[in-house]
Amino acid sequence: MVLGRGLWGLMLLLSVALYGSHAPLLTLTKENGQIPFSASSAVVLTELTKLVLSLVFLLIWDWKRLRVSVSWYHAAPFALSALLYAANNNLVVHLQLFMDPSTYQVLSNLKIGSTALLFSCFLHQRLSLRKWLALLLLMAAGAFYAHGGLQAVPRSPAPGMPLHITPVGLLLISLYCLISGLSAVYTERVLKAQELPLNLQNMFLYFFGVLLNMTIHLFSSSASAEGFLEGFSFCVLFVIVSQALNGLIMSVVMKHSTNITRLFVISSSMMVNALLSVHLFSMHLTPCFFFSVLLICFALYLYYGVK
């Protein structure tokens, strides 16, 4: 599949919008400050939606390319991808037990560095000093935004959760960043190594994703306490479909571009997140936000603009 520059740009902009709208839309689904549905069942439905969409796109666009012989030898590598993604999704939940949310948001930006290092090592992509500097600026932008890019409307004073992280938290955040980078780089390598239609590769990946996440859901404590679709609403279903669509876009990015492009998309999405938070929740932009935007723009220029 060859995408024109205009279509490629629109696809990346759509991904930025989908990434950036995820957290605000999830906040809109909350009732009394709590998410009213099972997070594990939402993950299963997201993976299932990706699987169904991949099948539909395969039948529409790639049916004639299925004459190539396909076996479990082609599908097996995606089992590890699905396992890594499932492990990371569940690790995020447990991280919150060992650190405050602000510390997690700042330190989770280290996954940019881990992804770049693994990208350079395992995909044999030598990055220039200028490009490493661009990625460091991207990490700094995320840290500044997480530290204080948005400010809530002042209310009655209440004690907040103090900044803290335990030794176990340090170990887990390091593992999270490592697995995050490893899952992305490994998946990119598999996608590019096989001469198969991307939609077929996606079907392999999301088949294992549904299988693993359904198993996790069945063994989770929430599965026995709530029905599979309990608490779901139109807004929740919209979040699921939007995240499924974004996952498919990211597979196109990893197949036809690189994980570095994916990192810039994720970092740029903070601008959409901030603007939606201002509009929906009356949050205030702080100097940290504008400094983060400046760093992202400079990083984009260094990585893609300077010849």
Side-chain angles (χ1 to χ4, degrees), residues 218-236:
L218 292 176
F219 283 94
S220 66
S221 58
S222 61
S224 59
E226 302 173 355
F228 187 79
L229 294 178
E230 185 176 343
F232 276 72
S233 63
F234 176 79
C235 187
V236 177

Side-chain angles (χ1 to χ4, degrees), residues 51-90:
L51 179 61
V52 172
L53 288 175
S54 297
L55 175 60
V56 171
F57 294 154
L58 180 69
L59 295 177
I60 293 175
W61 291 318
D62 295 316
W63 180 252
K64 294 182 180 179
R65 297 181 59 192
L66 288 180
R67 295 175 182 175
V68 61
S69 60
V70 178
S71 68
W72 280 102
Y73 173 80
H74 297 97
F78 292 98
L80 179 56
S81 292
L83 181 62
L84 290 171
Y85 283 127
N88 229 37
N89 290 337
N90 285 274

Side-chain angles (χ1 to χ4, degrees), residues 189-202:
R189 181 165 184 167
V190 174
L191 288 173
K192 290 179 175 175
Q194 297 182 351
E195 294 296 330
L196 293 176
L198 176 59
N199 290 309
L200 180 60
Q201 292 177 306
N202 282 338

Side-chain angles (χ1 to χ4, degrees), residues 1-11:
M1 179 176 61
V2 179
L3 296 176
R5 295 185 66 178
L7 182 58
W8 181 260
L10 286 174
M11 186 186 66

Side-chain angles (χ1 to χ4, degrees), residues 10 13 32 48 70 72 93 96-97 106 111 119 131 189 191 193 220:
L10 286 174
L13 287 175
N32 299 319
L48 184 59
V70 178
W72 280 102
V93 177
Q96 314 305 319
L97 302 175
V106 172
K111 66 186 177 185
F119 173 80
K131 291 187 174 182
R189 181 165 184 167
L191 288 173
S220 66

Side-chain angles (χ1 to χ4, degrees), residues 10-306:
L10 286 174
M11 186 186 66
L12 294 181
L13 287 175
L14 176 60
S15 185
V16 168
L18 292 174
Y19 263 118
S21 63
H22 181 59
L25 288 177
L26 272 183
T27 302
L28 287 177
T29 67
K30 289 183 178 180
E31 297 177 1
N32 299 319
Q34 299 294 324
I35 294 178
F37 57 90
S38 167
S40 60
S41 62
V43 173
V44 172
L45 286 176
T46 301
E47 294 298 297
L48 184 59
T49 302
K50 288 189 240 186
L51 179 61
V52 172
L53 288 175
S54 297
L55 175 60
V56 171
F57 294 154
L58 180 69
L59 295 177
I60 293 175
W61 291 318
D62 295 316
W63 180 252
K64 294 182 180 179
R65 297 181 59 192
L66 288 180
R67 295 175 182 175
V68 61
S69 60
V70 178
S71 68
W72 280 102
Y73 173 80
H74 297 97
F78 292 98
L80 179 56
S81 292
L83 181 62
L84 290 171
Y85 283 127
N88 229 37
N89 290 337
N90 285 274
L91 191 56
V92 169
V93 177
H94 295 289
L95 279 170
Q96 314 305 319
L97 302 175
F98 303 99
M99 66 192 72
D100 65 280
S102 296
T103 299
Y104 164 73
Q105 289 293 335
V106 172
L107 293 181
S108 64
N109 287 284
L110 293 173
K111 66 186 177 185
I112 295 176
S114 65
T115 302
L117 283 171
L118 292 168
F119 173 80
S120 180
C121 294
F122 290 107
L123 297 182
H124 310 294
Q125 299 289 329
R126 183 166 302 212
L127 301 178
S128 65
L129 183 61
R130 186 189 72 248
K131 291 187 174 182
W132 279 112
L133 177 59
L135 294 172
L136 286 174
L137 290 176
L138 211 58
M139 290 174 59
F144 273 105
Y145 178 77
H147 181 67
L150 290 172
Q151 183 177 348
V153 177
R155 296 177 180 173
S156 57
M161 180 181 294
L163 297 176
H164 72 281
I165 184 170
T166 66
V168 174
L170 282 172
L171 177 63
L172 289 180
I173 195 69
S174 300
L175 184 62
Y176 165 76
C177 292
L178 176 63
I179 295 178
S180 178
L182 185 60
S183 59
V185 171
Y186 172 78
T187 303
E188 178 182 341
R189 181 165 184 167
V190 174
L191 288 173
K192 290 179 175 175
Q194 297 182 351
E195 294 296 330
L196 293 176
L198 176 59
N199 290 309
L200 180 60
Q201 292 177 306
N202 282 338
M203 285 188 63
F204 293 152
L205 174 60
Y206 301 132
F207 168 78
F208 289 116
V210 170
L211 194 64
L212 284 169
N213 285 286
M214 178 60 79
T215 303
I216 292 171
H217 172 77
L218 292 176
F219 283 94
S220 66
S221 58
S222 61
S224 59
E226 302 173 355
F228 187 79
L229 294 178
E230 185 176 343
F232 276 72
S233 63
F234 176 79
C235 187
V236 177
L237 294 177
F238 180 80
V239 171
I240 288 173
V241 173
S242 67
Q243 288 307 294
L245 180 59
N246 200 27
L248 294 176
I249 293 176
M250 283 298 100
S251 67
V252 176
V253 170
M254 286 190 284
K255 178 81 169 181
H256 298 286
S257 184
T258 68
N259 262 293
I260 303 301
T261 302
R262 170 180 162 271
L263 293 177
F264 275 96
V265 167
I266 296 173
S267 296
S268 299
S269 69
M270 71 175 65
M271 291 180 275
V272 175
N273 180 289
L275 294 176
L276 283 177
S277 297
V278 169
H279 177 69
L280 295 174
F281 311 118
S282 299
M283 302 288 281
H284 292 295
L285 300 178
T286 71
C288 282
F289 167 76
F290 296 102
F291 188 57
S292 296
V293 172
L294 183 63
L295 289 178
I296 291 173
C297 292
F298 192 36
L300 281 165
Y301 174 72
L302 281 179
Y303 200 93
Y304 295 106
V306 178

